[in-house]
Structures are given as C-alpha cells and as structure tokens.
Amino acid sequence: MREAILKAIDDAADELVGLARRIHATPEIAFEEAKASQWLSETLERHGFKVQRGVADLPTAFRAERVASPGGPTVAFFAEYDALPEIGHACGHNLICTAALGAGIGLAAIGSKVAGKVLVMGTPAEEGGGGKVLMLQRGAFAGIDAALMFHPADYTLTMRQSLASYRLKVKFVGKAAHAAAAPYEGINALDGLVQMFVNIGLLRQQLRDDARVHGIITYGGAAPNIIPDRAEAAFSVRATDSAYAAKVLEKVINCGRAGAAATGATFEHEAQKGYEAMKPNRPLAEAIGRHLQELGWAIDRPPQRIRMGSTDMGDVSQKIPSLHPYLAIGKNVSGHTVEFREAAKSDEGFRGMLTAAKVMALTGFDVMTNSSFLGQVRADFSSVP
Ligand SMILES: [Zn+2]
Ligand SMILES: [Zn+2]
C-alpha cells in the first residue's frame, strides 16, 4: 500500500506542479483566494473527494473528504494558499496547498482496505486574518485525529516552534498649541508616544531572549508647528508561550502609561490576541523524519537560535495533535522576500512540495493503520502542556 501511495503522488505530479505554478502566477491575498480555492476544490473532486465549499462562513475555505472505510481515525492535510500584498507568493503557500492535495490524493490510494477518513482542509488567510483560528472557533476541525501541513523554507526541520502573539494599538491624546508662540499651553501627545518607545527600548534588557516587541508610529501629528494633540502606534508582542507573551504585553502597556504620565497626555490601548504558539507533536515529527530519510531527503540539525514567526497553525496545534515541518526549497532564501518567491516556482521548490506530499501521506498512513502509533501521538499531545 505504501508503494500505491507513492505511485499515486508520482502520477499526479505534473498536475500538482501545474497547479502550483498557476496559483503562483495568480497571487490572491487573505480571504480573497477565490481562484486558488476553486482550482484546488476542482482538482480534489477530480480525484474522488467530496468537497464542501465556503465552510465556517468563509467563502474561500473548503473541506474535502474521502472516506476509505467507515470508522477509524481522521487524518487532515492543511492547505494554505494566500499570497502577500504586493510581493505575491513570497511565503510559498502555492507549494503548501499543492503538497496538501498531493498528500490527500496519495493517502486516498489505500482505497477501502483501511478504516479511516482523509481530509484536505482549505484554510484561507494565514498571512492576516487567521482563517484557521476562525475555522477552529466555528468547529470546522471537529473529529480530526492528526493535522499535518508543511511549510517551505531554506532548511529541512521536522519540528519547530512558533511564537504566541498579541497585537496592540495605542493612542495618546494631548492638547494642540502653537509650537513656537505658546508651546507651554500644549500637551504633546507625540512626546508621550516617543517616551513609550524609549521605555520599551530600556525594557528589552529585562526580557527573555524569545520575547519580541516591534512597532510603528501610525500617526504622529499634523504639522511641525503644532504641538501634536494625538499620536498613535501599532505593536506586536510575541514569545514562545502565550502566558509570557501576555506578561510582556502588560509591561509594554505600562511603558505607554508611563509616557502618558510624564507628558500629561491621556492613554488608550486596545490589545488583541494574535496566534497561539506551536505545540509540535513529537511522534508525528519522528514519523515525518523517518519517511524523509527513507526517501533520501537530508534533515538539517536545528540551529541554536532558530528564526521564528507566528502562524495560525499554532492555534490548531493547541487543540489537535499537529505537525508543521519545514522542507528546504533553496539555500539562503528567507520567507517574504523576492528570492523566496522565485524559489517557490523553481524545480527545487516543486521537488520539496512533492516530497512533502509523500512524507505527509506516509505519516497519515501510519496514523490510520498503526493504533499504537496513534496512541503515542495522543499521549504526547496530552503530556505537553
Ligand atoms: Zn508568511
Ligand atoms: Zn507562510
């Protein structure tokens, strides 16, 4: 059956590469992935999947299902297909979605000999909006025993964390005055905000290494000869666990309060939960690693200090045993750059996508056919807080 899985993916390779090229050439941003969602759904239907479009009230989300045989575990492959504004598919999501399709098509080749269900979940808006968070909240992932997706990178790693994140908007309100004739009658809202940035700069020494605080001034006044009566900024606060991220967020808010106290401006803030940190499932990672080795794909040793961002797959991983491995599609190309966008439509990129499809399908096969392995997956999920 293992051979049947690999053969099904090889047979679909041209179709998958063609689709990856087409989606790459037609970048659509978060929640506007109408064409990609349609093309992916049509391809899955051609391969015998029953596709439900617009799930969880999201027009570009979908759920594709193929029942092998009733009962048994449900394995889901997660597809992302949103592009970045301006720069296009610089995060390689055209490879993520086609790998998920390939894995689904491959695992479906087991026919009806095994009890279980194969899902391909179409999850929009990873780069902004958090499609998976909404789908999770709306119950679209109910019944999934293992969730797998892959992300292209310039290294191959089976396990990597991601950062829990918060978004923060702040507003200082002061009093306008003539900046030369009567500055002493004004209250400088921008000074309050600048002090907030300075306070955050000093705070960094007291933060853990994994903490990230980054922000921009979104409004800083109307003209240099008017004392600004309003100043606004937007920040992201992140850390490897959400409890610590929440603590850092509170400190950052206090930096703003202090700036307001020092200048006499009033301070308003609005904090919003971003994405949860990733909880990678170790047995799933070991299985992916084993299958990569079988296929002769080199795995990199995790560097001491690994680059990390945030993803809505983190939220999924807190509720369902999940894995979000990385496969190399080039050397020294980091995400969200023009170089990475080019790698996402290169032969090396397509090789990574097809290999990811194969190792995810084989891992899905392990989940469906090896109950002690599924037991380990579940045990690991419950043992990690
Ligand atoms: Zn990205
Ligand atoms: Zn991405």
Side-chain angles (χ1 to χ4, degrees):
M1 262 191 270
R2 198 192 128 83
E3 294 314 309
I5 289 171
L6 297 178
K7 183 176 183 304
I9 297 170
D10 284 331
D11 289 347
D14 287 348
E15 197 181 1
L16 295 169
V17 168
L19 193 52
R21 279 190 204 280
R22 226 158 120 204
I23 292 173
H24 191 281
T26 318
E28 298 167 299
I29 59 163
F31 293 125
E32 294 176 15
E33 317 93 331
K35 289 196 182 87
S37 164
Q38 181 59 21
W39 295 337
L40 293 163
S41 299
E42 284 167 3
T43 307
L44 284 159
E45 278 169 341
R46 260 203 312 282
H47 285 272
F49 280 79
K50 206 174 80 199
V51 182
Q52 209 185 323
R53 292 166 166 82
V55 295
D57 289 326
L58 302 173
T60 56
F62 64 84
R63 177 186 190 276
E65 175 187 294
R66 228 181 110 160
V67 178
S69 204
T74 297
V75 174
F77 303 109
F78 278 50
E80 293 174 2
Y81 32 85
D82 59 326
L84 290 155
E86 316 266 325
I87 193 167
H89 272 293
C91 208
H93 294 187
N94 62 312
L95 300 177
I96 296 179
C97 57
T98 42
L101 254 64
I105 290 165
L107 187 52
I110 58 173
S112 55
K113 292 172 205 127
V114 176
K117 205 184 273 175
V118 184
L119 299 181
V120 178
M121 297 298 314
T123 66
E126 190 276 333
E127 296 288 0
K132 292 186 201 67
V133 179
L134 300 169
M135 292 176 82
L136 198 58
Q137 284 166 356
R138 296 170 189 173
F141 303 144
I144 295 175
D145 292 287
L148 293 165
M149 67 169 282
F150 115 97
H151 203 296
D154 57 356
Y155 46 76
T156 297
L157 285 181
T158 55
M159 253 176 112
R160 198 188 80 164
Q161 283 189 303
S162 69
L163 300 175
S165 65
Y166 281 92
R167 284 186 282 270
L168 174 70
K169 279 185 181 164
V170 301
K171 182 178 176 183
F172 292 78
V173 177
K175 187 167 166 275
H178 194 295
Y184 42 81
E185 282 175 11
I187 295 172
N188 195 323
L190 179 62
D191 282 356
L193 179 56
V194 169
Q195 291 202 31
M196 179 178 186
F197 271 89
V198 172
N199 292 339
I200 291 169
L202 292 171
L203 173 67
R204 291 184 198 278
Q205 190 194 3
Q206 267 63 51
L207 297 180
R208 258 169 34 184
D209 285 358
D210 59 302
R212 293 286 182 276
V213 183
H214 41 105
I216 56 164
I217 294 179
T218 50
Y219 183 79
N225 59 359
I226 308 168
I227 297 288
D229 64 349
R230 179 168 61 91
E232 295 177 4
F235 294 91
S236 261
V237 177
R238 317 192 202 201
T240 47
D241 64 271
S242 31
Y244 188 61
K247 249 187 215 170
V248 176
L249 174 72
E250 195 48 41
K251 288 177 194 287
V252 168
I253 292 169
N254 280 334
C255 289
R257 289 186 179 120
T263 50
T266 61
F267 175 71
E268 295 164 30
H269 70 275
E270 197 190 303
Q272 224 186 15
K273 190 118 189 28
Y275 296 154
E276 289 279 359
M278 182 78 68
K279 176 174 157 178
N281 189 275
R282 190 167 285 278
L284 288 175
E286 285 164 358
I288 288 274
R290 207 165 46 242
H291 296 309
L292 280 169
Q293 273 168 349
E294 287 159 8
L295 297 179
W297 190 275
I299 302 171
D300 295 305
R301 210 174 302 184
Q304 202 90 100
R305 301 196 65 183
I306 194 160
R307 295 194 304 261
M308 271 195 276
S310 304
T311 166
D312 57 2
M313 194 62 184
D315 293 68
V316 176
S317 76
Q318 297 289 340
K319 302 284 179 210
I320 300 166
S322 304
L323 196 70
H324 183 282
Y326 294 81
L327 264 71
I329 62 159
K331 279 198 180 62
N332 301 319
V333 281
S334 66
H336 295 201
T337 63
V338 172
E339 292 74 25
F340 200 86
R341 182 184 67 198
E342 297 311 301
K345 61 162 181 175
S346 67
D347 287 346
E348 211 172 339
F350 299 137
R351 255 198 313 278
M353 176 269 284
L354 293 169
T355 304
K358 287 176 181 173
V359 296
M360 289 196 294
L362 292 172
T363 303
F365 183 67
D366 295 337
V367 170
M368 276 197 183
T369 54
N370 183 342
S371 57
S372 86
F373 176 67
L374 178 57
Q376 288 164 25
V377 167
R378 287 182 173 146
D380 181 81
F381 179 77
S382 347
S383 72
V384 179

